[in-house]
Amino acid sequence: MVAPVDPNDRVVIGITFGNSNSSIAYTVDDKAEVIANEDGDRQIPTVLSYVDGDEYYGAQAKAFLVRNPSNTIAYFRDFLGKDFKSIDPTHCHAAAHPKDVSGHVSFTVKDKPQGEDDEEVELSTVSIDDAATRYLRRLVTSASDYLGKTVTSTVITVPTNFTDKQREALTKAANAAGLEVLQLVSEPVAAVLAYDARKEAVISDKIVVVADLGGTRSDVTVVASRGGMYTILATVHDYDFAGVHLDNALMDHFAKEFIKKHEVDPRSNARSLAKLRLESEATKKALSLGTNAQFSVESLADGFDFSSTINRIRYEMVARKVFEGFNRLVESAVKKAELDVLDVDEVIMCGGTSHTPRVANNLANIFPETTTVLAPATSAVAINPSELQARGAALQASLIQEYEAADIEQSTHAAVTTVKHITNAIGVVTVGADGETFTPVMQAETAVPARRTIHVAAPKNGGDVLIKVVEGGTHIKVTKAEPKPEQNGDDDDSDFDSEEEDEETREKLWKIGSPLAEAAVKGVKAGAASKVEVTINVLGDLSVTITAREVGGKGGVRGTITA
Ligand code: ATP
Ligand code: MG
């Protein structure tokens, strides 16, 4: 255990520690920057490799998956704090295999130097916790070298389905690497923080979907952001649609081409398979930027070199099933939150796979035009999806670094996920020429305690103004477009017309729910400018206080409804 560091002596960074990649970030002048390690990488592969007693990490270690797989530890983050029985070792197939050491996940690797007399090097057992510590130590060394001072403390991001045991294991592993862990923040919230921290950001009440599409897993989270408080409404975790599945699609594509030419399957031996995988991933990344990409491997199998090209359209065809999977995931998360796509104000795309233009465009298509999809392909102001979480972690670290460790624990414990919130919107009903209208004052899912104020225009003639405060719900109104009248002599495009007839317009409408209170504000001045101010205050026990008064006037009414 690392002793709490004096707040004045802290040097803090944010860390994202993924199964595929990790990143380190720090803040300078309230802006978060992701640090490039000594290899120049900002996305640092979460891989360790041992060659003749030397430890390699990151991109160098990942390259050893071809020549030295059995001494290369990869894709291990999710194993932290888990029993051997409950892990899925699929992705370690072409790397050091996880072993069962009394129920605990371990790896056996040759991490000692070769002796003089050429004896076989002894195998060492490296527990999952040790592997995490060794890797985190490399990240921290890198950050310390970059910053020119020793990093003492950190905020690390974790998936929302990390158990307490996993969080504990991660904290311990970081402590063993000499790091004080100020806080573990959930990955999607870190992504939201990175966007909300921008100078130009307007912190409004909004529903945000965070689509974190990584290498071995995809996590979709629906977050209600209410006055700077974040409530997680639903999460979906998936291990069948992620970056490696896109790699697989390309691997199959190029393997088939290779077989046609040389009658040998590069997937049938481990080393060829590893080469095929690495190059397929590189080609995939190139296709996020360009519409054409090269695939080229020396001595891919049986001594044959292989090079080919692929264009984006072809890629999108061979990987179509995976792309469709991403859409279904996001749709299922929205549904799980009992919301409609029309309720979603913003989609934040993060994780490396979010660079893929087709993935972002497909998602943009399932949401209405009013929903902002923040990804490089769909928005000019998108932040690099691979950097979002590290930036969020760094921002959070710089926010809380001045507090004593004990205070941080108290004030920030689980603040994000378990706060109480109101189920229905609360708003004001006003009566006008078109009947009653509902104006929301406080959105559904607002974390409590909370307070909101609106101004309602008073009737022109003044007098007593009746304010009805009610709960509001929404419903989706579907309108079928009117069939177009036949156009004479122009039947050529009748096919198109019939398609349009099926088109539906869907809009979100407010529904007036159960009444909470009525208040009469007496003797409001006449005049177009006269207004009534309504303040709704919901306390932690969900009791509601409503205050209504004339703007600029004296007095007013006030009432409390118990929960
Ligand atoms: P996980 O924990 O899911 O394994 P991670 O969170 O550690 O993943 P990320 O860096 O978010 O990792 O995602 C890695 C995935 O993103 C890899 O499959 C990688 O190939 C892919 N990726 C990275 N950059 C790009 C890009 N420019 N275009 C397409 N895919 C990319
Ligand atoms: Mg991730």
Side-chain angles (χ1 to χ4, degrees):
M1 191 63 200
V2 173
V5 181
D6 186 316
N8 297 313
D9 299 334
R10 279 190 186 128
V11 176
V12 301
I13 58 168
I15 296 179
T16 50
F17 178 33
N19 292 294
S20 304
N21 295 296
S22 299
S23 290
I24 39 186
Y26 73 114
T27 55
V28 52
D29 301 332
D30 293 334
K31 266 194 67 190
E33 300 278 355
V34 175
I35 299 170
N37 73 351
E38 51 286 0
D39 296 331
D41 294 325
R42 290 184 169 76
Q43 277 71 57
I44 305 166
T46 307
V47 187
L48 285 169
S49 186
Y50 296 91
V51 182
D52 197 18
D54 287 326
E55 183 186 78
Y56 295 83
Y57 87 112
Q60 296 188 35
K62 187 172 176 179
F64 278 120
L65 283 170
V66 174
R67 278 189 292 129
N68 184 33
S70 59
N71 295 306
T72 303
I73 306 175
Y75 301 110
F76 57 90
R77 196 271 321 260
D78 279 356
F79 302 162
L80 269 170
K82 280 197 160 178
D83 294 336
F84 184 83
K85 297 191 300 297
S86 63
I87 65 162
D88 172 9
T90 309
H91 299 290
C92 299
H93 192 70
H97 294 205
K99 301 257 162 64
D100 184 352
V101 177
S102 349
H104 210 76
V105 182
S106 292
F107 301 90
T108 40
V109 292
K110 291 178 188 168
D111 61 350
K112 305 260 160 48
Q114 187 78 42
E116 295 220 328
D117 41 5
D118 245 21
E119 255 178 68
E120 253 306 281
V121 186
E122 240 184 87
L123 286 168
S124 306
T125 300
V126 180
S127 70
I128 176 67
D129 310 80
D130 280 346
T133 299
R134 290 181 185 192
Y135 182 77
L136 289 170
R137 194 177 283 136
R138 299 301 298 261
L139 288 185
V140 176
T141 306
S142 217
S144 299
D145 287 349
Y146 180 90
L147 297 172
K149 46 194 173 185
T150 305
V151 170
T152 62
S153 316
T154 183
V155 166
I156 311 179
T157 62
V158 290
T160 55
N161 65 346
F162 239 40
T163 60
D164 284 344
K165 239 176 128 185
Q166 291 187 286
R167 298 165 71 97
E168 231 168 78
L170 174 60
T171 306
K172 270 199 188 146
N175 289 161
L179 276 175
E180 176 196 31
V181 178
L182 297 177
Q183 197 185 5
L184 300 178
V185 298
S186 81
E187 291 175 341
V189 170
V192 179
L193 284 175
Y195 271 108
D196 279 355
R198 289 174 309 167
K199 280 212 176 62
E200 65 275 23
V202 183
I203 308 297
S204 55
D205 288 355
K206 60 192 173 187
I207 298 285
V208 184
V209 169
V210 181
D212 178 0
L213 313 177
T216 63
R217 53 185 289 168
S218 292
D219 301 86
V220 185
T221 313
V222 183
V223 181
S225 168
R226 303 281 182 243
M229 282 290 284
Y230 305 109
T231 314
I232 292 177
L233 303 180
T235 55
V236 169
H237 310 283
D238 186 274
Y239 304 86
D240 294 323
F241 298 101
V244 290
H245 305 97
L246 295 174
D247 301 342
N248 289 345
L250 281 175
M251 286 166 71
D252 289 343
H253 169 80
F254 288 117
K256 279 182 202 147
E257 250 187 43
F258 189 83
I259 295 170
K260 234 186 240 163
K261 229 168 157 178
H262 302 293
E263 289 172 4
V264 46
D265 189 343
R267 292 167 298 189
S268 58
N269 88 69
R271 184 177 282 213
S272 302
L273 184 69
K275 287 184 177 177
L276 182 67
R277 180 173 290 287
L278 286 183
E279 185 63 7
S280 293
E281 186 186 5
T283 303
K284 173 189 75 174
K285 289 186 189 174
L287 283 167
S288 290
L289 279 180
T291 47
N292 266 292
Q294 290 282 328
F295 175 97
S296 167
V297 181
E298 255 177 55
S299 180
L300 177 56
D302 275 10
F304 294 117
D305 295 348
F306 182 62
S307 43
S308 179
T309 57
I310 184 167
N311 63 31
R312 202 184 269 174
I313 295 169
R314 179 97 198 134
Y315 165 52
E316 291 175 356
M317 254 157 56
V318 302
R320 208 192 68 228
K321 288 236 156 62
V322 188
F323 291 143
E324 288 170 357
F326 293 134
N327 269 21
R328 281 199 303 274
L329 280 180
V330 172
E331 284 170 328
S332 66
V334 174
K335 204 166 162 209
K336 202 168 162 191
E338 294 178 17
L339 294 174
D340 187 274
V341 286
L342 292 174
D343 295 314
V344 176
D345 301 293
E346 220 170 77
V347 179
I348 292 180
M349 294 191 63
C350 60
T353 301
S354 291
H355 285 280
T356 315
R358 174 52 50 211
V359 177
N361 287 322
N362 283 356
L363 283 190
N365 282 335
I366 59 177
F367 288 96
E369 258 170 52
T370 45
T371 307
T372 320
V373 177
L374 291 160
T378 49
S379 161
V381 297
I383 300 175
N384 183 344
S386 296
E387 296 193 350
L388 273 171
Q389 295 174 355
R391 286 187 185 213
L395 290 161
Q396 181 69 3
S398 78
L399 264 180
I400 61 180
Q401 66 173 326
E402 60 196 80
Y403 299 104
E404 301 287 345
D407 294 340
I408 295 174
E409 235 169 66
Q410 289 221 329
S411 63
T412 54
H413 210 83
V416 180
T417 48
T418 57
V419 289
K420 267 202 193 152
H421 53 266
I422 58 171
T423 318
N424 294 314
I426 298 176
V428 173
V429 174
T430 42
V431 186
D434 346 314
E436 294 187 319
T437 33
F438 176 83
T439 314
V441 182
M442 202 176 279
Q443 299 283 356
E445 314 303 346
T446 298
V448 295
R451 179 197 184 90
R452 297 281 190 284
T453 300
I454 60 158
H455 287 176
V456 191
K460 261 213 222 70
N461 304 330
D464 296 352
V465 179
L466 186 69
I467 303 288
K468 274 206 271 186
V469 178
V470 299
E471 285 191 317
T474 53
H475 71 113
I476 306 293
K477 184 176 161 201
V478 181
T479 334
K480 286 232 171 19
E482 293 284 317
K484 291 235 174 78
E486 287 280 329
Q487 278 181 2
N488 281 340
D490 191 29
D491 357 346
D492 281 3
D493 55 17
S494 56
D495 278 358
F496 292 101
D497 283 354
S498 64
E499 230 172 76
E500 265 175 38
E501 279 168 27
D502 289 339
E503 219 170 78
E504 294 176 349
T505 337
R506 301 173 70 248
E507 47 186 334
K508 196 168 95 174
L509 296 178
W510 286 103
K511 201 168 58 190
I512 297 174
S514 45
L516 293 174
E518 283 189 23
V521 183
K522 297 243 160 75
V524 175
K525 272 201 295 287
S530 113
K531 286 198 170 71
V532 174
E533 179 188 270
V534 182
T535 298
I536 296 181
N537 196 358
V538 184
L539 298 181
D541 63 357
L542 293 175
S543 63
V544 186
T545 306
I546 295 152
T547 319
R549 63 179 185 93
E550 185 183 350
V551 175
K554 277 194 231 109
V557 242
R558 183 188 167 95
T560 298
I561 310 150
T562 48

